[in-house]
Amino acid sequence: MKSKSLLLGAAILAFVAPSAAAKEKPRMLDLSKAEDALEVGKRAQCGEADGKPAVYHWSGKVYSRVTGEPDRMLFLGEGMNIRTCVTVDDPKRGKGWRLVSREIMLYLDPKTGEVLRKWTNPWTDETVDVMHIANDPVNQRPQFATNADGTTYKFIGRREGRWIFAPFEAPLFYHNVLAGDYQDYIGGKYHAMEIFDFAYDAEEILNTKYPTAYPIVSWVRISDWMPWMKMRGRQGQMVFNAMGNKLKSFDELPAVLKDEIRLNYPAYIAPPPGDDARPNETTWTVFKKMVDENRAKTGEKPKTSH
C-alpha cells in the first residue's frame, strides 16, 4: 500500500529465482538452500510461470496520529497489486527473476464504504480533491542465489507448525520530490516505514507439486500526510493497517476495486511488460506530475514570498 505501499510497497518485497518445478519431479524445497529460498519467494510473489499475472488484495483502515489529540479513523482502504515475474540472466550471477507490477489503493468513506472523490479536511475545513494511490510501475530489482556483494541469499523468517512466517520492514528516508533543494538542512525528506508480514502454508509453499502458493499478508505503513490533503506542514502522521492475500485472478477482487479500475484505471487490469524499464512511481511523484500539468494548463505560478 505506498507510499510504499501500498502492497504490495509498496513496498518493498522479496525477489525470486527461476523455477524448474514444471520439469522436475515434485519435491520439498529446503529453505536453508539459496536456490530453494529464492524459489519460495517466486512462488509467494508471482504466478505459476514467466509472464503469468498474479494479484494481491488488501483491505484495511487509515488513521491520523497527532500529538495531543486522539487518533482519528480517516478512511477505509481497498488496494490491489497486479504483477508478474520474468527470468533474467546475469553473466556472473546466473539466472534470476525480476518482478514488475502496478498498484492501486482506494480511499473509501468510513461510513458508507463508497469511493471518495472529495474530502473535507477536519483540521483546515478545506474541501480537497482525493487522489487515490495509483502507482505505475512498482518494479523490483532482479534477485539471484548470489547477492550483489557476493554473499549467499538467505530466507528471512521462521516456521511454526504448518505456518512459515516471513516479516519484512522497509524504513524509508529519502529526498521528497515535492520539497526543495535544501532538505538536508531544514528537513522535508520523505519519512515512512513499510511493514509486510507474510504467512505461508508450509505444505503449499514448499511442495513443488503445487504450481504456486497463495500467502496471507498484513501491511502497515506509517508515513507523512498525503500531499493532496493540503496539511501545510502540520505536525502528525498517517497509519495504514491492512490485511489481505494473493488471489487466483483479477476477478476475485471486490466489486468496488474492479469497478473503479475498469472505469478510471484500465491499465491496471494487467501487469506491466516484463522488460519495463520505467522508473518507479510513488504518490509524491504522481502528485507532482499532476500539479505541474495543471499549472501548465492554467498558467498558475508557484506561490513564493515577496
Side-chain angles (χ1 to χ4, degrees):
M1 292 210 189
K2 209 166 187 216
S3 68
K4 191 158 186 104
S5 115
L6 299 163
L7 293 177
L8 355 260
I12 14 204
L13 300 175
F15 281 100
V16 295
S19 170
K23 300 178 182 179
E24 296 178 350
K25 182 179 178 180
R27 66 187 182 90
M28 297 298 289
L29 298 169
D30 184 347
L31 290 173
S32 68
K33 296 179 180 178
E35 292 82 2
D36 284 3
L38 283 172
E39 175 65 13
V40 165
K42 183 262 175 184
R43 292 166 62 78
Q45 299 299 329
C46 302
E48 298 176 12
D50 266 25
K52 184 165 183 176
V55 177
Y56 266 92
H57 165 249
W58 62 93
S59 179
K61 299 174 182 177
V62 184
Y63 290 85
S64 67
R65 169 151 291 191
V66 175
T67 300
E69 69 174 51
D71 298 341
R72 309 187 194 198
M73 189 178 76
L74 302 177
F75 315 107
L76 300 177
E78 287 286 345
M80 62 84 73
N81 177 292
I82 188 163
R83 78 273 299 280
T84 192
C85 284
V86 292
T87 302
V88 294
D89 289 293
D90 184 272
K92 294 183 179 179
R93 299 165 71 186
K95 286 186 178 295
W97 283 82
R98 177 181 186 238
L99 183 149
V100 294
S101 78
R102 359 178 181 250
E103 65 187 19
I104 279 181
M105 195 190 84
L106 304 176
Y107 296 103
L108 309 181
D109 186 296
K111 294 181 179 179
T112 67
E114 296 179 349
V115 177
L116 284 169
R117 310 296 178 189
K118 300 280 187 179
W119 178 69
T120 300
N121 185 320
W123 292 275
T124 68
D125 289 327
E126 183 176 3
T127 299
V128 297
D129 293 326
V130 175
M131 191 189 84
H132 302 284
I133 294 172
N135 297 331
D136 177 19
V138 184
N139 298 338
Q140 299 180 2
R141 292 187 296 270
Q143 293 292 313
F144 304 87
T146 301
N147 297 321
D149 62 1
T151 58
T152 300
Y153 178 87
K154 293 182 179 179
F155 175 80
I156 300 175
R158 70 185 189 278
R159 181 168 182 173
E160 293 185 9
R162 64 169 287 194
W163 295 103
I164 295 174
F165 300 113
F168 176 74
E169 301 87 24
L172 304 173
F173 189 73
Y174 55 76
H175 182 83
N176 188 335
V177 297
L178 293 176
D181 295 331
Y182 305 96
Q183 294 174 45
D184 285 343
Y185 304 96
I186 64 168
K189 287 183 178 289
Y190 175 65
H191 190 189
M193 170 77 81
E194 301 264 3
I195 303 169
F196 300 89
D197 294 311
F198 286 87
Y200 311 141
D201 182 295
E203 170 69 14
E204 182 184 62
I205 197 77
L206 298 178
N207 194 332
T208 63
K209 77 177 183 180
Y210 302 106
T212 188
Y214 297 92
I216 298 167
V217 63
S218 67
W219 170 64
V220 172
R221 179 170 75 177
I222 303 166
S223 77
D224 299 332
W225 304 114
M226 297 296 100
W228 56 265
M229 297 168 72
K230 296 183 72 173
M231 292 297 281
R232 296 183 175 89
R234 280 174 170 76
Q235 181 273 332
Q237 295 176 310
M238 300 181 74
V239 179
F240 298 70
N241 183 43
M243 287 193 69
N245 62 311
K246 183 177 164 188
L247 306 180
K248 293 185 178 179
S249 73
F250 177 89
D251 291 336
E252 290 187 335
L253 287 168
V256 66
L257 268 170
K258 289 189 292 187
D259 292 346
E260 185 68 14
I261 289 170
R262 287 169 175 150
L263 180 64
N264 291 315
Y265 307 93
Y268 288 73
I269 293 174
D275 60 354
D276 187 13
R278 295 172 297 160
N280 281 349
E281 295 282 13
T282 68
T283 294
W284 280 258
T285 61
V286 173
F287 184 80
K288 184 178 187 299
K289 289 177 181 178
M290 182 185 73
V291 171
D292 291 347
E293 288 173 1
N294 288 340
R295 284 176 174 172
K297 291 177 183 177
T298 62
E300 176 191 354
K301 301 294 184 182
K303 292 181 174 65
T304 59
S305 60
H306 296 283

